[in-house]
Amino acid sequence: MILEILQSRFAAALTGLVDDVQPLLELIRPSQDPKFGDFQANMAMPLAKKLSKPPRDVAKQIVDALDIDDLCQPPELAGPGFINLRLKEEFLAELVRKSLDDEDRLGVPEVEPADRKTVVVDYSGPNVAKPMHVGHLRSTVIGNALAKMLRFAGHEVITDNHLGDWGTQFGMIIYGYRNFLDWAAYEKNPVQELSRVYRIVRQKVDEPNKEIADAVLAETAKLHAGDAENLKLWKEVLPNCTDEIDRIYKRLNISFDYVLGESFYHPMLQGVVDELLQKGIARESEGAVCVFFDGQEVPMLVRKKDGAFLYGTTDIATVEYRMKEFKPDAILILTDFRQSLHFEHLFATARLLGYDNVELSHIKFGTVLGEDGKPFKTRSGDTVGLESLLDEAESRALTVVKENDKAGLSEAEQRETARRIGLGAMTYADLSQNRESDYVFSYDKMLAMNGNTATYMQYAYARVRSIFSKGEIDIDALRKSGATIILSAPAERALAIELLKFDDALRHALRDYRPNVLTAYLFELANRYSTFFENCPVLKAEDAAVRTSRLLLCDLTARTIKKGLELLGIETVERM
RNA sequence: GCGUCCGUGGCGCAAUUGGAUAGCGCAUCGGUCUUCGGAACCGAGGGUUGGGGGUUCAAAUCCCUCCGGGCGUACCA
């Protein structure tokens, strides 16, 4: 909010100097050091180059043309041509007031109607044949956060879970079902037993055991060709798998607008291949049907020589379906970065098909690694199931909750608190890291509750709330009072400025689809609040006006933290 | 081989995409409490941003080169 206002003032001062002022306005930023003021404008240097004048002269020229006295102290020139701005208390107070009065959005504006997009967010996408594991958490948690943030920003968001319910892994399941199934175990826990036979087959294929590998491919091809027996088996097995997955989503508190798995697109695949051939986009090579790309040796295969379709075929069908059905401006697909080449190929093919008016983005993220630096497995070679991870998170949280409980929570309240804290810790661990980096799996790290963690923020939130309950404050009356915001103490001022950066943090996070920008902001906000909390007594403030003002700052802080965490898919607690 | 991503205090990571003295968490050491929740706060030590060269008023960021690593590289997803 601050930034937009400053930008409009600078825009006025810059008119006539360049054709396009927008890139220059981007160079107005929060100062990293308080001694340089609150914000700094860095456009004089690049502009000086264009005008071939000394940068300090250009800076001076900008400052002279700048009408900004109502917002800040006289701008200061520094270094090669930085323009440093220190905001006036009244201006900050006015903006804080606006945010306070904005019930749902806390002063964050929605995107302009012209910029409003329809965005398909494709995330999670587990293979239904095997239990979900830690690797799926990244796609699920990051996708969920981005979808929420985009929605809050004012975009039309369509979430779609592209289940892996039709690929070669099903050939393995079918083969395993026929040859290795323990019926008693299957009756008892179908998914666990299916995943056991899946692992057996998988291992044999990897050995490699050519006979079994061929048999698996044959089962897959039969399924895809419509073989009645295999289809029947698929239909028998699938509901068990999806039930299992749904249970986990429920626990993670995640839902989708659509769950259109690979099998949904199967009827369209032949058409896709025909279309690609017909338009001369694909051709036959070594018995397979392929799309080749300029300057690249490896093609994307859309039909194998045995007639079966592939990942790429399904994904093209998916793009076509989404374009027809949803008419999106953007399609975001969240997967592991190891699939980068595939998506380059897919998007290039989509453009060849004429879909060039849509943003197609592969939102990639790093791999979850074990301590050996290899993709994560337990000692026995299994992946860590998501459910056991959730259990662990909650039980660790419960221990901490019990140790620290001073509020006298009931047993049920303790459990619910632990659930929110444990789940929040896990979610936050994923979101707070730059998504493109790999990370080494560790319970301690994932479930940490000190430092830059969800728990720290939840704690900050609970502390704010406790002020209101302790003081028996009527929040509605307080908000409606229209009381003056006073920002004379440095900690009050710093907190207010941080609160007003919420919309900037969101915009920045969405620009690169990076939730960690938002977590960093929230952490900073919680820090500022802690400093404020230490230095500025609220209930025992020196006079009534200061007390009211501080209560309002507390209120806005609590609401901002709550909203921010909510956008990340993390719940808050009133007491902990 | 080719493509691609990466290398930042002991460890784990940031750095608003080229901006001022590279920040934060953990760990280590020291300090703060008769005040609203100590799951807190304040401070200290620790860095030639893998090496070298270049572009620029300005480089962790861009270019070249070398070293080290991850991933991908035709019928898995």
Side-chain angles (χ1 to χ4, degrees):
Chain A
M1 195 163 19
I2 298 178
L3 221 40
E4 285 175 322
I5 296 171
L6 293 177
Q7 283 181 347
S8 71
R9 298 300 176 94
F10 273 87
L14 289 167
T15 46
L17 288 175
V18 279
D19 296 336
D20 184 10
V21 296
Q22 193 53 39
L24 295 178
L25 297 180
E26 304 285 330
L27 296 173
I28 304 173
R29 289 171 191 174
S31 301
Q32 22 178 306
D33 191 322
K35 80 176 179 212
F36 299 133
D38 302 317
F39 285 81
Q40 57 177 259
N42 302 338
M43 75 275 287
M45 285 80 80
L47 188 55
K49 185 159 280 177
K50 241 175 231 164
L51 305 175
S52 49
K53 283 181 169 173
R56 285 203 64 121
D57 292 357
V58 174
K60 178 137 197 337
Q61 192 183 338
I62 295 170
V63 169
D64 287 344
L66 198 58
D67 178 13
I68 204 168
D69 289 348
D70 53 327
L71 309 183
C72 60
Q73 311 295 334
E76 287 173 15
L77 297 190
F82 295 104
I83 300 168
N84 294 334
L85 307 170
R86 187 177 162 81
L87 301 173
K88 284 187 173 166
E89 188 188 320
E90 308 84 76
F91 173 50
L92 291 172
E94 183 193 321
L95 292 179
V96 168
R97 185 78 248 172
K98 262 192 187 155
S99 298
L100 274 166
D101 291 343
D102 188 355
E103 172 108 30
D104 302 322
R105 307 195 56 86
L106 307 172
V108 178
E110 282 195 295
V111 289
E112 299 293 324
D115 297 329
R116 187 181 159 90
K117 293 183 196 162
T118 298
V119 185
V120 174
V121 186
D122 170 343
Y123 64 100
S124 200
N127 279 328
V128 299
K130 5 180 193 175
M132 284 177 84
H133 58 88
V134 291
H136 294 114
L137 197 60
R138 302 209 82 183
S139 176
T140 307
V141 154
I142 297 170
N144 186 243
L146 290 177
K148 282 179 190 293
M149 288 159 68
L150 284 163
R151 235 171 227 152
F152 183 67
H155 299 292
E156 174 76 24
V157 175
I158 296 158
T159 57
D160 183 12
N161 188 3
H162 192 71
L163 289 181
D165 61 359
W166 193 249
T168 303
Q169 80 274 12
F170 250 98
M172 295 195 194
I173 292 274
I174 289 171
Y175 184 86
Y177 184 98
R178 295 223 165 101
N179 294 279
F180 302 109
L181 200 72
D182 173 342
W183 281 97
Y186 182 68
E187 294 288 322
K188 230 170 114 191
N189 186 337
V191 175
Q192 198 180 323
E193 176 56 13
L194 287 173
S195 103
R196 188 186 69 87
V197 303
Y198 171 83
R199 281 203 303 277
I200 293 173
V201 177
R202 178 80 211 207
Q203 205 170 20
K204 293 196 183 292
V205 169
D206 288 345
E207 268 175 16
N209 180 326
K210 191 169 182 322
E211 197 184 318
I212 291 183
D214 287 347
V216 164
L217 290 180
E219 295 293 3
T220 310
K222 270 168 72 184
L223 174 67
H224 288 191
D227 175 82
E229 293 250 331
N230 279 10
L231 208 54
K232 183 165 164 263
L233 208 48
W234 179 78
K235 284 181 178 158
E236 174 193 323
V237 163
L238 189 67
N240 291 323
C241 302
T242 50
D243 282 356
E244 166 96 357
I245 287 172
D246 286 344
R247 205 175 62 239
I248 293 183
Y249 286 136
K250 200 169 171 198
R251 211 170 152 185
L252 290 172
N253 199 15
I254 281 171
S255 60
F256 300 90
D257 300 322
Y258 295 89
V259 181
L260 302 175
E262 292 172 335
S263 62
F264 175 80
Y265 298 97
H266 181 248
M268 308 169 204
L269 301 187
Q270 185 59 53
V272 167
V273 175
D274 291 344
E275 183 189 7
L276 290 170
L277 284 169
Q278 199 181 351
K279 292 186 171 167
I281 295 169
R283 64 178 165 85
E284 207 176 304
S285 167
E286 297 175 29
V289 178
C290 314
V291 180
F292 284 89
F293 307 95
D294 289 343
Q296 287 205 37
E297 254 181 74
V298 295
M300 178 169 76
L301 271 68
V302 293
R303 192 174 66 202
K304 302 201 268 189
K305 62 185 167 201
D306 68 5
F309 303 113
L310 301 99
Y311 188 27
T313 330
T314 311
D315 278 0
I316 294 167
T318 306
V319 170
E320 295 201 296
Y321 177 83
R322 286 173 177 161
M323 291 307 294
K324 211 168 1 168
E325 200 67 21
F326 306 125
K327 302 185 173 44
D329 301 296
I331 299 176
L332 312 181
I333 304 173
L334 286 98
T335 81
D336 193 294
F337 76 97
R338 287 176 292 189
Q339 298 181 35
S340 297
L341 183 60
H342 166 73
F343 285 105
E344 268 177 48
H345 285 169
L346 174 67
F347 298 159
T349 305
R351 283 189 287 273
L352 290 172
L353 282 165
Y355 299 115
D356 40 19
N357 256 333
V358 59
E359 174 196 339
L360 298 169
S361 288
H362 177 206
I363 311 298
K364 54 191 102 172
F365 48 83
T367 315
V368 180
L369 303 175
E371 296 190 7
D372 54 359
K374 301 246 171 71
F376 188 70
K377 297 272 157 61
T378 60
R379 262 179 228 96
S380 58
D382 296 344
T383 48
V384 168
L386 208 42
E387 293 220 273
S388 61
L389 184 58
L390 286 164
D391 292 342
E392 177 77 14
E394 287 182 18
S395 86
R396 285 188 188 215
L398 188 58
T399 308
V400 180
V401 167
K402 286 188 164 160
E403 273 171 17
N404 290 283
D405 181 18
K406 292 181 197 72
L409 300 175
S410 70
E411 176 76 20
E413 285 172 322
Q414 285 184 339
R415 290 198 173 280
E416 173 60 12
T417 305
R419 188 187 68 75
R420 294 184 185 202
I421 291 176
L423 186 54
M426 258 174 61
T427 306
Y428 195 90
D430 238 320
L431 295 176
S432 59
Q433 180 162 347
N434 186 329
R435 63 179 162 79
E436 302 214 29
S437 318
D438 286 348
Y439 77 64
V440 175
F441 176 84
S442 117
Y443 274 113
D444 289 338
K445 193 176 131 189
M446 194 170 283
L447 306 179
M449 296 180 191
N450 297 316
N452 183 6
T453 63
T455 309
Y456 178 84
M457 243 89 67
Q458 287 166 325
Y459 178 70
Y461 177 80
R463 273 203 308 186
V464 187
R465 300 292 302 153
S466 86
I467 289 180
F468 287 94
S469 57
K470 176 139 192 165
E472 297 179 348
I473 308 297
D474 180 345
I475 291 198
D476 282 336
L478 179 75
R479 287 180 196 162
K480 284 176 191 146
S481 69
T484 311
I485 307 293
I486 300 163
L487 303 171
S488 44
E492 292 172 320
R493 195 171 183 285
L495 177 60
I497 290 179
E498 203 59 34
L499 285 166
L500 296 171
K501 287 180 185 165
F502 186 39
D503 71 326
D504 187 41
L506 275 169
R507 206 179 6 243
H508 179 187
L510 280 178
R511 189 185 61 201
D512 300 321
Y513 305 118
R514 281 178 31 188
N516 72 310
V517 173
L518 183 53
T519 63
Y521 165 76
L522 291 174
F523 183 59
E524 189 66 28
L525 176 60
N527 264 316
R528 293 285 159 90
Y529 177 74
S530 284
T531 305
F532 163 84
F533 182 81
E534 295 293 323
N535 293 296
C536 303
V538 179
L539 294 175
K540 294 172 187 169
E542 55 262 38
D543 62 59
V546 172
R547 182 176 187 266
T548 304
S549 166
R550 286 181 180 166
L551 280 168
L552 286 167
L553 285 175
C554 287
D555 180 41
L556 187 56
T557 302
R559 289 158 71 191
T560 305
I561 290 176
K562 186 176 179 138
K563 175 57 83 178
L565 289 177
E566 183 188 308
L567 294 177
L568 297 170
I570 297 170
E571 296 170 279
T572 43
V573 291
E574 296 299 308
R575 296 188 296 169
M576 60 191 278

